[in-house]
Amino acid sequence: MNSEESFRLIVETIPGLIAVMTAEGEVAHVNRPVLDYFGRTLEELKEWGSTDAVHPVDLPGVVVAWQHAVETGLPYEVEHRLRRADGEYRWFVSRGLPLRDADGQIVRWYNLLTDIHLRKQSEETVQRSEAALQKAFDEIKNSEAKLRQVIDAIPILAWCNLPDGPNEFLNKRWHDYTGLAPEESHGWGWQVAFHPEDLPPLMEKWRELLISGEPGEIEARLRRFDGVYRWFLISVEPLRDEAGRIVRWYGTSSDIDDRKQAEDRLRQENVSLKRAEEKIREQEAELRQILDFVPQLVRVFGPDHERIYANRVGLDYLGVSLEEWRQIRDMCRFVHPDDGNRMRAFFDRARSTGAACELELRLRKADGSYRWFLVRYNPVCDNKGQIIRWYVAGTDIEDRKQAEERLQRENVALREEIDKTSMFEEIVGTSPALKTVLSHISKVAASNLTVLITGETGTGKELVARAIHRRSVRALRPFVSVNCAAMPRDLVSSELFGHEQGAFTGATRQRLGRFELANGGTIFLDEIGELPAETQIALLRVLQEHEFERVGGSRRIRADVRVIAATNRDLQAAISAGSFRRDLFYRLNVFPIEIPPLRERRQDILLLVEYFIDRYARKAGKNITSVEKKTLQLLEAYAWPGNIRELQNVIERSVILCETEIFSIDESWLPKQPSLAEPKSQMELPERLLAQEKEMIEAALKESRGRIFGPTGAAAKLGIPRSTLESKIRSLKINKNHFRISPET
């Protein structure tokens, strides 16, 4: 820390408004109270002469006084108004003291700004009151009774004394303030109202005025009726007759206690300022020694990189003396060979731009070893903006660089670990059913197997397909999604495999199919159960032989594509009905993944709700911090026949309509579920649902004679996938063999 910084720290601790000016009179530094008062930055305050910081009426006089002080080197004092941050002007007395060096040259000016607004107001009040009093005196010279009425009415402490000094009259305000009755203060009784310490000098001054017959002023403390003493300015004026003889003494007492306190504070601040100057002088000798031992390589260069100073730590690191360092022509001799050109280009750029900058490079130690340093260049400019010094500080960052290298090596392993444990794309949830699905995704993604994803509508089958693709070796290749149910039946083959020009009416040019667009990547065939029979044959060929032909073409095209299919239909029932090929099913069903419906993973509903609220609230620019308890209960109790897609739509719609930070939904958006007749056993709702579900499954098994799959199987009769039915049979502990009937029977 240099002397200037030390001084600034000390100045910041001094109460009051303090500004430090250069020898030429420009603002160099102000303490925090100055910035808070003006509400401006240091750069803005440097232009005080051209802004409204000083009252326009007072500005010319301030400028003249300041220029005179700078030219003569003499202390100056001037009263003027300064504009506060809220726009109000307040009176200040500005005192400037020069600081000289050992040769007597001024090196800086210290300015102390003291608020005298209350004193000025008091003086203005006194002036107005005295003017009013003088006018009253002129009007009531011939009417003593009228004079007393006027004195009683004026808003100051006024009085009248006889020519030889005793009191003749004190106005009502004086009696109200001191609490003394007229009979107590008559004559010389008024003396008891003044502070005992101030009474002797007060009486001495009063006797001098009585002898000289001249007007005058006296400062003394007057006791208020509650016993509190406050400073007053006592102004005395003689009234003479036509012969010039004094016939009365008239006076006023004005409260100047605030001004006196301000003067006391100013005296204390002056003492503090002098102590600060002495402290700075004591520290200036220590600063260079401190700089020599800071744990950094500190150097000072001239504007053209001429070497001026290097601290002791830096010289010891390089193993040279200060004179040797100054004589070195090429400083790059201490820089690592790989960093030399970068160092030269860096400093040339810094010198051309004149901006502070930093660079990391390796510097050679005295023993020949190299260590990494962070080198910071900071320019110092003169009043014209010309660079006069470059201050350079080098901080040892060898340990940090080694830590970065270790961190970089560890980061690779960390990324691999994160890939294994992080969330799968936008698949949200922690339920056991979902964890099973995510486990299957992790295991099958790295392979090239065909995957068949089954599940109800809205369960997120495409998200699973994308997760498999992005975690596979094909992640950087295309992912092409095809909805087989959305394509016209006559154009399905053309969409999937492309067509040649003229293959059919409207085929005006060659077109690439989805399989070609997905070459090297993944194709996702959603709603695979809706493919027409002829397209199923072509798809089977692709899966078997990994090649296809465009519609209207004869050239075989190699298909380097991974196939992921999805459906919400029971393909076994479709096979039995003859609408889906059995061989295609087995080609697709290499690795089946069944996505559980939302009603089977209710513990994920809260996570999904929070995820969708955050997503759509940010999109809508809203701040939603919590979910209404009743809303959460409704969401968890609802069966969600539309699964996650239905939940997503409800959340998005509710976020748009939500006007508070608490999320809620309209209960009418969740259709009422048909209630079941309560059995006589008065079972709880979950038990009743399980009982009814068990009855329905047993009835279907009885009707199908224990057969699970096929067009006449229990799964087809219930309208649910075979795997789902078998899972429920196991969970409900139903003995399906009990319903099988032998042919003889």
Side-chain angles (χ1 to χ4, degrees):
M1 181 182 295
N2 56 34
S3 60
E4 190 67 20
E5 292 172 345
S6 299
F7 172 72
R8 291 183 179 182
L9 289 176
I10 295 172
V11 167
E12 288 294 338
T13 63
I14 299 175
L17 278 60
I18 298 178
V20 181
M21 319 288 279
T22 65
E24 294 77 16
E26 296 184 356
V27 178
H29 175 71
V30 297
N31 65 350
R32 173 55 53 184
V34 174
L35 298 176
D36 293 341
Y37 180 86
F38 288 99
R40 304 187 184 187
T41 64
L42 177 60
E43 293 300 323
E44 293 173 332
L45 292 176
K46 287 183 178 181
E47 303 297 329
W48 64 271
S50 58
T51 64
D52 58 352
V54 181
H55 196 286
V57 176
D58 306 332
L59 182 59
V62 174
V63 172
V64 170
W66 177 231
Q67 289 177 346
H68 179 265
V70 172
E71 292 172 359
T72 61
L74 297 175
Y76 76 96
E77 179 176 329
V78 62
E79 295 181 358
H80 54 82
R81 286 163 287 183
L82 295 177
R83 189 177 189 271
R84 200 164 56 187
D86 58 3
E88 179 185 351
Y89 283 96
R90 294 183 64 85
W91 279 97
F92 280 79
V93 58
S94 176
R95 294 181 174 89
L97 297 174
L99 176 65
R100 303 178 184 272
D101 57 16
D103 298 329
Q105 297 296 319
I106 295 176
V107 294
R108 61 174 64 91
W109 286 85
Y110 299 118
N111 294 340
L112 179 64
L113 303 173
T114 304
D115 191 320
I116 59 169
H117 195 73
L118 296 177
R119 191 200 77 185
K120 294 294 289 187
Q121 289 181 333
S122 299
E123 292 176 353
E124 292 175 359
T125 302
V126 171
Q127 292 173 358
R128 290 193 298 268
S129 301
E130 288 178 346
L133 184 60
Q134 186 62 46
K135 183 178 179 180
F137 286 165
D138 293 341
E139 293 177 352
I140 61 172
K141 287 181 179 179
N142 299 322
S143 177
E144 192 70 23
K146 186 176 181 180
L147 173 62
R148 294 194 177 190
Q149 293 176 357
V150 172
I151 293 177
D152 276 337
I154 60 176
I156 59 173
L157 279 61
W159 39 269
C160 174
N161 283 14
L162 296 174
D164 56 351
N167 169 256
E168 181 184 26
F169 168 74
L170 291 163
N171 71 344
K172 184 176 182 300
R173 189 172 293 272
W174 195 96
H175 290 295
D176 291 343
Y177 183 87
T178 60
L180 295 176
E183 57 273 14
E184 294 176 304
S185 57
H186 188 72
W188 296 100
W190 51 268
Q191 298 180 63
V192 298
F194 285 91
H195 196 285
E197 295 179 1
D198 301 337
L199 187 59
L202 169 65
M203 294 304 299
E204 182 179 354
K205 180 66 176 179
W206 180 223
R207 283 191 291 269
E208 292 177 358
L209 295 177
L210 292 174
I211 295 172
S212 65
E214 298 294 327
E217 292 182 346
I218 308 171
E219 293 182 359
R221 283 168 288 185
L222 187 63
R223 186 184 63 201
R224 200 164 56 190
F225 63 90
D226 57 1
V228 175
Y229 285 96
R230 292 182 63 86
W231 282 97
F232 276 79
L233 176 65
I234 304 169
S235 300
V236 183
E237 184 78 23
L239 176 65
R240 302 178 184 273
D241 58 14
E242 296 178 354
R245 293 187 299 272
I246 296 176
V247 295
R248 291 288 188 280
W249 287 92
Y250 294 104
T252 59
S253 299
S254 303
D255 191 321
I256 59 169
D257 196 72
D258 292 337
R259 190 199 76 183
K260 294 290 287 187
Q261 291 183 8
E263 291 175 352
D264 290 341
R265 287 195 300 270
L266 180 59
R267 282 193 294 269
Q268 295 173 3
E269 290 167 359
N270 286 335
V271 172
S272 299
L273 184 58
K274 290 180 180 178
R275 291 176 180 174
E277 293 175 356
E278 294 174 358
K279 186 67 175 179
I280 290 173
R281 293 191 183 97
E282 293 174 359
Q283 291 183 343
E284 282 179 348
E286 301 175 4
L287 286 176
R288 185 173 294 272
Q289 183 178 359
I290 294 173
L291 189 60
D292 276 339
F293 291 100
V294 294
Q296 286 182 311
L297 279 59
V298 179
R299 288 157 291 170
V300 181
F301 296 94
D304 295 323
H305 208 225
E306 57 270 24
R307 286 174 285 282
I308 298 175
Y309 171 75
N311 71 336
R312 175 53 52 193
V313 171
L315 295 173
D316 291 344
Y317 181 88
L318 300 177
V320 296
S321 66
L322 181 59
E323 291 302 321
E324 290 173 340
W325 178 77
R326 287 173 175 168
Q327 298 301 321
I328 296 173
R329 294 184 178 181
D330 186 10
M331 285 302 299
C332 286
R333 61 179 283 189
F334 297 106
V335 179
H336 194 281
D338 294 342
D339 302 335
N341 292 333
R342 192 159 53 93
M343 166 72 177
R344 293 187 185 94
F346 171 79
F347 187 74
D348 289 342
R349 184 169 63 255
R351 188 162 49 182
S352 63
T353 60
C357 47
E358 59 183 33
L359 172 71
E360 292 183 0
L361 50 79
R362 287 161 288 186
L363 295 178
R364 190 183 68 196
K365 201 174 180 181
D367 59 6
S369 61
Y370 287 92
R371 293 182 67 85
W372 279 98
F373 281 82
L374 175 63
V375 181
R376 291 187 174 90
Y377 282 75
N378 291 287
V380 176
C381 302
D382 59 15
N383 298 333
K384 298 179 181 180
Q386 300 296 320
I387 295 177
I388 58 176
R389 289 288 186 275
W390 283 97
Y391 290 96
V392 183
T395 304
D396 191 319
I397 59 170
E398 178 70 22
D399 294 339
R400 193 200 78 187
K401 295 293 284 188
Q402 292 182 2
E404 288 175 354
E405 292 177 1
R406 289 195 302 271
L407 181 61
Q408 189 173 7
R409 291 192 298 269
E410 295 168 357
N411 206 23
V412 175
L414 182 60
R415 286 199 189 97
E416 295 176 355
E417 184 65 22
I418 289 174
D419 287 340
K420 294 178 182 178
T421 59
S422 63
M423 294 288 286
F424 287 72
E425 310 302 330
E426 296 178 347
I427 303 175
V428 179
T430 59
S431 63
L434 184 61
K435 286 182 178 179
T436 301
V437 174
L438 298 181
S439 175
H440 290 168
I441 293 174
S442 297
K443 294 174 181 178
V444 76
S447 69
N448 204 32
L449 295 178
T450 302
V451 180
L452 178 61
I453 305 172
T454 59
E456 298 179 9
T457 299
T459 53
K461 294 185 285 295
E462 183 169 351
L463 287 180
V464 172
R466 290 185 181 275
I468 294 173
H469 170 72
R470 292 184 181 177
R471 296 177 67 83
S472 71
V473 294
R474 299 173 178 264
L476 299 179
R477 305 297 295 172
F479 177 88
V480 178
S481 178
V482 181
N483 189 329
C484 300
M487 295 185 294
R489 297 179 66 86
D490 297 337
L491 299 178
V492 172
S493 295
S494 173
E495 287 289 332
L496 291 178
F497 308 116
H499 63 255
E500 299 290 350
Q501 183 177 358
F504 52 84
T505 303
T508 58
R509 58 184 178 84
Q510 184 190 73
R511 179 179 179 181
L512 301 182
R514 303 296 179 89
F515 270 89
E516 286 185 82
L517 295 175
N519 186 47
T522 304
I523 187 168
F524 173 57
L525 302 175
D526 198 8
E527 304 294 349
I528 191 70
E530 306 300 326
L531 278 180
E534 60 274 14
T535 308
Q536 293 181 29
I537 297 173
L539 178 59
L540 180 61
R541 180 182 177 186
V542 173
L543 295 174
Q544 289 177 339
E545 303 176 11
H546 302 289
E547 60 182 19
F548 62 90
E549 296 175 358
R550 297 194 189 103
V551 176
S554 58
R555 183 172 63 89
R556 293 183 178 182
I557 301 172
R558 186 68 181 172
D560 179 19
V561 178
R562 181 181 191 172
V563 176
I564 301 177
T567 182
N568 61 356
R569 293 183 56 186
D570 184 356
L571 293 184
Q572 291 285 2
I575 292 171
S576 300
S579 61
F580 199 82
R581 295 180 62 91
R582 185 182 301 275
D583 50 359
L584 177 59
F585 170 76
Y586 288 117
R587 283 289 181 182
L588 292 173
N589 198 38
V590 177
F591 193 97
I593 296 178
E594 182 178 358
I595 306 178
L598 186 55
R599 61 180 173 275
E600 294 183 7
R601 38 183 291 221
R602 293 186 182 277
Q603 53 265 62
D604 292 338
I605 290 179
L606 177 58
L607 289 176
L608 288 165
V609 169
E610 292 176 345
Y611 170 78
F612 287 131
I613 288 175
D614 178 70
R615 175 177 172 181
Y616 294 119
R618 283 190 285 106
K619 184 177 180 181
K622 296 185 177 182
N623 181 27
I624 298 178
T625 59
S626 60
V627 181
E628 186 183 57
K629 185 177 181 180
K630 180 181 178 182
T631 293
L632 188 57
Q633 293 173 346
L634 288 172
L635 296 176
E636 291 178 340
Y638 184 57
W640 298 110
N643 292 294
I644 297 176
R645 186 178 296 118
E646 182 183 6
L647 174 63
Q648 179 178 352
N649 294 339
V650 170
I651 298 299
E652 183 175 13
R653 186 190 323 158
S654 302
V655 168
I656 293 174
L657 298 178
C658 186
E659 297 180 352
T660 66
E661 294 185 353
I662 301 176
F663 177 80
S664 62
I665 66 168
D666 189 337
E667 187 175 353
S668 64
W669 293 350
L670 303 180
K672 296 292 184 180
Q673 304 175 58
S675 59
L676 302 174
E678 184 177 5
K680 295 181 179 180
S681 60
Q682 298 296 319
M683 293 185 294
E684 295 295 331
L685 179 59
E687 296 177 354
R688 284 189 279 131
L689 292 176
L690 290 174
Q692 185 180 25
E693 188 175 30
K694 184 175 182 179
E695 289 178 5
M696 293 175 64
I697 293 174
E698 289 178 342
L701 287 171
K702 182 177 181 181
E703 186 178 350
S704 63
R705 298 183 179 182
R707 185 178 179 83
I708 301 297
F709 57 92
T712 60
K717 294 181 180 297
L718 293 172
I720 60 176
R722 170 189 173 183
S723 58
T724 302
L725 178 57
E726 290 182 338
S727 175
K728 291 183 178 295
I729 288 174
R730 288 192 299 270
S731 64
L732 295 172
K733 299 180 180 180
I734 298 174
N735 184 4
K736 59 184 178 182
N737 297 323
H738 176 72
F739 299 96
R740 292 178 180 173
I741 302 175
S742 63
E744 293 79 3
T745 306

